[in-house]
Amino acid sequence: MSNYRNCETSLGTMLLVANAQGLSGTYFVDQKYFPTIAADWRETANDAVLNDAAAQFKAYFAGKLQHFELPLAAVGTAFQQAVWSAISTVGYGERISYGELARRVGRADSVRAAGTATGRNPLSIIVPCHRIVGADGSLTGYAGGLERKRQLLALEARSAAPLFALEA
């Protein structure tokens, strides 16, 4: 059984899903690969993991949170899990290419497969697939839409910038 709730963000409503092991999904409601709410899912406002996730998303979108601290329970193949794990190592405000992602997974010849696994990431933003870009730095692919990807990267660039500069 899974619990779910909606979370309002500056980039649209997100569906948050949790099971007994932790947070299993975070999806923009109009994104590609949006899940079908199953018969055994229960909408609730009383799930601690979902409420923590909503609070952390609020802080993230306010530019006050750079790393999520939540129990995660994403379901995927071994390769998908490896890709999602590698994506999780890309720091706040950083970007890497799909080719670099494939190399980090130990499958440099599997750039397309790494891209496909990235697109199936069920933990949008928390597993920061928006930080994966084309070889030339271009914004390619994002299940939540390229405009959202652009806005997420801009948010992180603003929040990661120093508040003041020291003079020499």
Side-chain angles (χ1 to χ4, degrees):
M1 183 178 84
S2 293
N3 290 330
Y4 71 95
R5 68 168 279 191
N6 287 325
C7 174
E8 297 303 323
T9 77
S10 58
L11 297 182
T13 303
M14 294 188 78
L15 173 70
L16 309 180
V17 184
N19 59 31
Q21 290 74 44
L23 193 66
S24 59
T26 58
Y27 308 90
F28 287 104
V29 296
D30 59 350
Q31 79 170 53
K32 192 174 185 181
Y33 309 119
F34 188 80
T36 300
I37 295 176
D40 66 339
W41 288 19
R42 183 177 55 120
E43 185 172 14
T44 182
N46 296 319
D47 183 291
V49 171
L50 295 177
N51 292 341
D52 280 350
Q56 289 183 43
F57 272 115
K58 182 177 180 180
Y60 171 84
F61 281 103
K64 297 178 181 176
L65 180 79
Q66 296 185 3
H67 180 75
F68 290 84
E69 293 289 335
L70 297 160
L72 304 179
V75 176
T77 67
F79 181 73
Q80 288 172 327
Q81 294 282 350
V83 169
W84 301 337
S85 180
I87 291 170
S88 294
T89 68
V90 181
Y92 186 90
E94 296 177 9
R95 300 175 191 184
I96 66 166
S97 70
Y98 289 95
E100 174 60 22
L101 177 61
R103 282 188 289 283
R104 289 184 183 191
V105 175
R107 303 261 311 264
D109 60 336
S110 298
V111 175
R112 284 183 169 232
T116 298
T118 301
R120 291 293 190 155
N121 168 24
L123 293 167
S124 185
I125 300 173
I126 294 172
V127 173
C129 54
H130 60 279
R131 298 177 189 157
I132 313 303
V133 297
D136 62 357
S138 62
L139 302 188
T140 60
Y142 184 63
L146 288 181
E147 184 53 34
R148 277 198 185 109
K149 184 172 189 167
R150 186 178 344 279
Q151 290 180 32
L152 290 167
L153 292 171
L155 167 71
E156 292 184 3
R158 283 191 308 273
S159 299
L163 298 175
F164 61 90
L166 297 174
E167 293 186 30

